Amino acid sequence: MRERWGVPSEVFWFTSDEHYIGSLVVRHEPPEDDLGGHIGYHVVRPWHRRGHATEMLRQATVIARGLGIDRLLLTVEEDNGPSLRVIEKNGGVHDRRNPDGQLRLWIDTASVPSDG
């Protein structure tokens, strides 16, 4: 755990054998500037559209639940359809826009199964 974006955070790398799939950041609290959320993730291009981001976010909810976080805030650009679908598949509920115009969505960590 290290401090990133002004809050305690953890970074996880996802791999398959020797292949790097992507990374996941779990912030123990959202940044105070209302411009980000608890979770950040990305999957590298060769691994897109295989369900990896959905699984990474599901695992993030389990990690967050273990940290005592009941609700996760995620932010996403409105035109990022793939990421919106990932968040919605994990129970994301739309809230409002942040000051940068990004959509804010919340996930209740208790609603996501621990074992995919």
Side-chain angles (χ1 to χ4, degrees):
M1 182 176 59
R2 292 184 15 200
E3 187 167 307
R4 294 175 184 83
W5 303 278
V7 298
S9 305
E10 298 177 73
V11 176
F12 301 89
W13 287 24
F14 284 74
T15 61
S16 176
D17 296 322
E18 73 275 6
H19 302 285
Y20 173 72
I21 295 173
S23 61
L24 167 71
V25 176
V26 178
R27 298 176 193 96
H28 293 205
E29 55 193 72
E32 290 185 19
D33 60 10
D34 198 29
L35 297 178
H38 286 98
I39 305 297
Y41 56 86
H42 92 282
V43 174
V44 295
R45 187 165 301 277
W47 297 93
H48 284 190
R49 301 184 55 87
R50 298 185 189 187
H52 295 296
T54 300
E55 176 60 17
M56 289 165 67
L57 182 53
R58 186 198 65 77
Q59 289 187 33
T61 64
V62 174
I63 293 165
R65 188 167 48 233
L67 293 169
I69 301 170
D70 297 327
R71 292 180 62 210
L72 290 175
L73 173 62
L74 290 98
T75 60
V76 63
E77 296 291 338
E78 183 175 17
D79 63 355
N80 188 344
S83 195
L84 272 171
R85 285 189 294 278
V86 164
I87 297 167
E88 290 168 348
K89 283 181 189 176
N90 278 283
V93 176
H94 290 258
D95 181 18
R96 60 178 172 81
R97 294 181 186 273
N98 70 11
D100 277 352
Q102 295 174 320
L103 300 174
R104 290 169 34 112
L105 294 95
W106 292 92
I107 295 175
D108 178 358
T109 60
S111 69
V112 179
S114 296
D115 59 355

